[in-house]
């Protein structure tokens, strides 16, 4: 009988073993309990880089909300142009068709006459407050908290007045209508910096409590690798586990992707333990997968930027600007031509600058997985 692969390398999926997020889960549990007991409701912003597990954590929080008998709704934010479109989106997702009929129409003085509470001229915040306050009145006897979870809140940054409408709506619902709504959103690691770009720094940074997701440490990474294997007949050799820990640097998506491929190769070979030969073949599979889904899209078009990445990818140590320039000269690139492309790579976060120790100020590719992609890129086309 074929073993079922326990690793799930899809963005947004809940991993087989939820490693390294105990502090975040405990924080949410505390905020839930405080809110249920009538205390202050804290709104949360889960922020972090690509594939770091924001959506997965959001789904886990939804499970915790249910365990605490709190209602919740998880929505993925689409591209939205303004606050009108946003209010309609939220109403459509949170309010059921039956509830919408009740909310749209209210009886006037018992006469049977009705007015539409969502007439076009009403401000989007008014429509949103009307809908959500009515929703709360319908459920408040059954639950002490409603958690609205909005994934990819970044898409609202360029939508005219959408984020300010969201903030103002939840403040009004709490202060004027005594509704018990908690808002949890996810966004990129620079979300709070981008608030400033759109002139929303002060009100929004005070409104949201940030939960910053970082890479797993080595112990957490090992747990993410080994725990899912406990219910299978497959093992990974210690050297294989060490390689995964080092190459992934604790990035949750890389861990799931590489382990998934190693597991598949091990089963296909009809063996019960993955060795380094399996690892090498599986790594080629994994790097090809992520090339298509991610790395090809972020790889620069500038030839000088490509050359800088190639220089860094084959170096065992971070390099200074001067050292990169020396290597560039060997490839017919003038020293004076290195500065601007290097800064662009920093801005794109494809390269990072060391901040501590004797390597402070030197440059390296932002992570090991992408480094291997750059180093092997020409070969990848023939894999």
């Amino acid at each position: 009988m074929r073993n079922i692969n326990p690793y799930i390398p899809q963005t947004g999926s809940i991993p087989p073993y939820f490693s390294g997020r105990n502090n975040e889960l405990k924080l949410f549990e505390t905020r839930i309990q405080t809110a249920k007991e009538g205390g202050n409701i804290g709104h949360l912003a889960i922020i972090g880089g690509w594939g770091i597990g924001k959506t997965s954590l959001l789904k886990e929080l939804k499970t915790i909300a249910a365990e605490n008998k709190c209602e919740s709704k998880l929505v993925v934010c689409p591209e939205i142009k303004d606050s009108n479109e946003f209010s309609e989106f939220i109403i459509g997702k949170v309010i059921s068709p039956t509830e919408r009929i009740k909310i749209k129409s209210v009886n006037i003085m018992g006469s049977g006459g009705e007015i539409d509470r969502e007439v076009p001229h009403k401000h989007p915040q008014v429509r949103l407050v009307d809908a959500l306050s009515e929703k709360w009145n319908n459920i408040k006897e059954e639950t002490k908290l409603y958690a609205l979870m909005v994934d990819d809140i970044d898409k609202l940054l360029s939508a005219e007045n959408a984020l300010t409408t969201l903030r103002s709506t939840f403040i009004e619902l709490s202060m004027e209508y005594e509704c018990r709504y908690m808002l949890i959103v996810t966004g990129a690691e620079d979300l709070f910096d981008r608030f400033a770009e759109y002139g929303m720094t002060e009100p929004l940074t005070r409104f949201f409590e940030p939960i910053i997701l970082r890479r797993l440490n080595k112990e957490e990474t090992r747990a993410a690798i080994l725990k899912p294997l406990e219910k299978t007949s497959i093992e990974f050799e210690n050297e294989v586990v060490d390689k995964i820990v080092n190459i992934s640097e604790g990035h949750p998506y890389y861990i799931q992707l590489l382990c998934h491929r190693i597991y598949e190769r091990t089963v296909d070979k009809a063996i019960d333990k993955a060795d380094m030969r399996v690892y090498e073949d599986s790594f080629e599979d994994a790097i090809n997968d992520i090339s298509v889904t991610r790395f090809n899209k972020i790889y620069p078009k500038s030839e000088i930027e490509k050359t800088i990445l190639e220089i860094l990818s084959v170096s065992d140590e971070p390099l200074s600007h001067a050292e990169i320039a020396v290597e560039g000269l060997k490839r017919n690139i003038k020293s004076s031509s290195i500065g601007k492309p290097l800064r662009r790579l920093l801005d794109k976060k494809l390269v990072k600058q060391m901040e501590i120790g004797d390597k402070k100020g030197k440059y390296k590719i932002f992570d090991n997985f992408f480094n291997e992609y750059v180093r092997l890129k020409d070969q990848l086309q023939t894999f």
Side-chain angles (χ1 to χ4, degrees):
M1 180 177 175
R2 181 180 172 86
N3 283 285
I4 296 174
N5 196 321
Y7 302 101
I8 308 172
Q10 279 83 40
T11 300
S13 61
I14 297 179
Y17 175 73
F18 210 79
S19 179
R21 302 302 184 211
N22 289 338
N23 290 339
E24 291 81 4
L25 297 176
K26 287 177 182 176
L27 173 65
F28 182 66
E29 186 90 40
T30 300
R31 296 293 179 269
I32 284 270
Q33 292 301 326
T34 299
K36 283 176 63 179
E37 293 167 7
N40 182 59
I41 296 176
H43 305 294
L44 307 174
I46 302 167
I47 59 176
W50 170 87
I52 205 68
K54 300 183 294 294
T55 305
S56 299
L57 179 60
L58 204 60
K59 290 178 178 179
E60 191 71 10
L61 299 188
K62 193 175 191 307
T63 299
I64 292 175
E67 290 170 351
N68 281 272
K69 296 180 171 54
C70 297
E71 287 206 29
S72 64
K73 182 71 175 181
L74 194 163
V75 301
V76 179
C77 194
E79 296 292 343
I80 283 176
K81 65 180 180 180
D82 56 29
S83 55
N84 278 300
E85 199 172 292
F86 174 68
S87 66
E88 289 306 308
F89 167 73
I90 293 296
I91 290 169
K93 289 292 185 180
V94 174
I95 311 301
S96 69
T98 302
E99 289 172 322
R100 292 201 77 179
I101 292 172
K102 293 178 182 178
I103 291 169
K104 280 186 175 182
S105 304
V106 293
N107 190 281
I108 302 178
M109 299 175 62
S111 65
E114 294 181 339
I115 60 171
D116 190 347
R117 295 178 73 179
E118 294 188 78
V119 289
H121 67 269
K122 278 202 172 183
H123 190 279
Q125 182 177 325
V126 175
R127 297 201 303 275
L128 202 49
V129 168
D130 278 354
L132 294 181
S133 60
E134 192 76 22
K135 169 82 174 181
W136 179 253
N137 287 334
N138 291 336
I139 65 173
K140 64 183 180 182
E141 300 302 323
E142 304 164 9
T143 186
K144 293 184 178 180
L145 185 72
Y146 188 104
L148 177 59
M149 304 175 176
V150 183
D151 200 13
D152 290 338
I153 199 77
D154 311 72
K155 292 177 181 176
L156 293 184
L157 286 168
S158 59
E160 185 180 1
N161 297 324
L163 275 172
T164 52
T165 295
L166 180 66
R167 170 186 172 273
S168 299
T169 294
F170 277 78
I171 290 174
E172 185 176 350
L173 285 168
S174 175
M175 296 181 67
E176 298 296 326
Y177 295 88
E178 298 183 348
C179 299
R180 308 293 289 172
Y181 282 101
M182 175 186 284
L183 181 63
I184 306 110
V185 303
T186 69
E189 56 194 330
D190 61 350
L191 178 66
F192 281 68
D193 293 332
R194 294 183 68 196
F195 284 160
E197 293 178 24
Y198 291 88
M200 299 179 286
T201 308
E202 191 61 25
L204 284 170
T205 51
R206 285 187 285 109
F207 182 71
F208 287 114
E209 177 182 2
I211 296 179
I212 304 169
L213 294 192
R214 296 184 171 87
R215 296 185 182 224
L216 309 183
N217 62 34
K218 289 188 176 182
E219 181 181 345
E220 293 163 346
T221 301
R222 287 183 182 278
I225 297 166
L226 295 173
K227 284 287 185 180
L229 292 175
E230 291 179 356
K231 295 182 179 180
T232 76
S233 60
I234 301 297
E235 296 179 58
F236 292 176
E237 286 186 353
N238 290 337
E239 189 177 0
V240 170
V241 175
D242 290 341
K243 288 289 287 186
I244 300 169
V245 170
N246 291 332
I247 195 70
S248 71
E249 298 177 292
H251 192 287
Y253 181 78
Y254 295 162
I255 296 166
Q256 292 297 314
L257 175 62
L258 190 47
C259 287
H260 181 87
R261 282 301 195 170
I262 293 170
Y263 193 96
E264 288 290 305
R265 285 270 185 175
T266 305
V267 171
D268 288 345
K269 289 178 179 290
I271 56 178
D272 57 13
K273 182 175 284 190
D275 57 21
M276 284 305 296
R277 286 176 297 179
V278 172
Y279 171 84
E280 295 297 341
D281 290 340
S282 302
F283 184 75
E284 290 183 4
D285 295 336
I287 206 78
N288 271 302
D289 289 344
I290 202 167
S291 296
V292 173
T293 59
R294 174 72 175 168
F295 289 163
N296 288 346
K297 298 173 185 177
I298 65 174
Y299 191 67
K301 292 181 171 58
S302 160
E303 292 302 321
I304 297 181
E305 289 177 28
K306 290 178 185 178
T307 301
I308 292 172
L309 289 178
E310 289 164 7
I311 290 168
L312 291 172
S313 74
V314 296
S315 173
D316 294 331
E317 298 289 338
L319 299 177
S320 67
H321 186 143
E323 289 168 332
I324 295 171
V326 168
E327 293 300 317
L329 282 173
K330 297 176 184 177
R331 303 174 187 222
N332 299 317
I333 297 176
K334 295 179 181 178
S335 299
S336 59
S337 300
I338 294 292
K340 287 184 179 179
L342 184 56
R343 285 194 293 274
R344 286 198 298 268
L345 289 171
L346 282 170
D347 291 341
K348 295 173 185 176
K349 298 183 179 178
L350 298 182
V351 164
K352 64 182 180 182
Q353 201 166 14
M354 309 304 288
E355 296 180 351
I356 57 174
D358 58 353
K359 297 180 178 64
K360 184 176 180 179
K362 294 190 174 186
Y363 301 88
K364 65 176 292 186
I365 290 177
F366 77 96
D367 75 13
N368 290 341
F369 233 87
F370 188 68
N371 190 94
E372 289 304 286
Y373 162 81
V374 174
R375 189 176 66 82
L376 299 171
K377 192 170 190 309
D378 290 339
Q379 300 172 47
L380 288 175
Q381 298 170 3
T382 61
F383 280 167

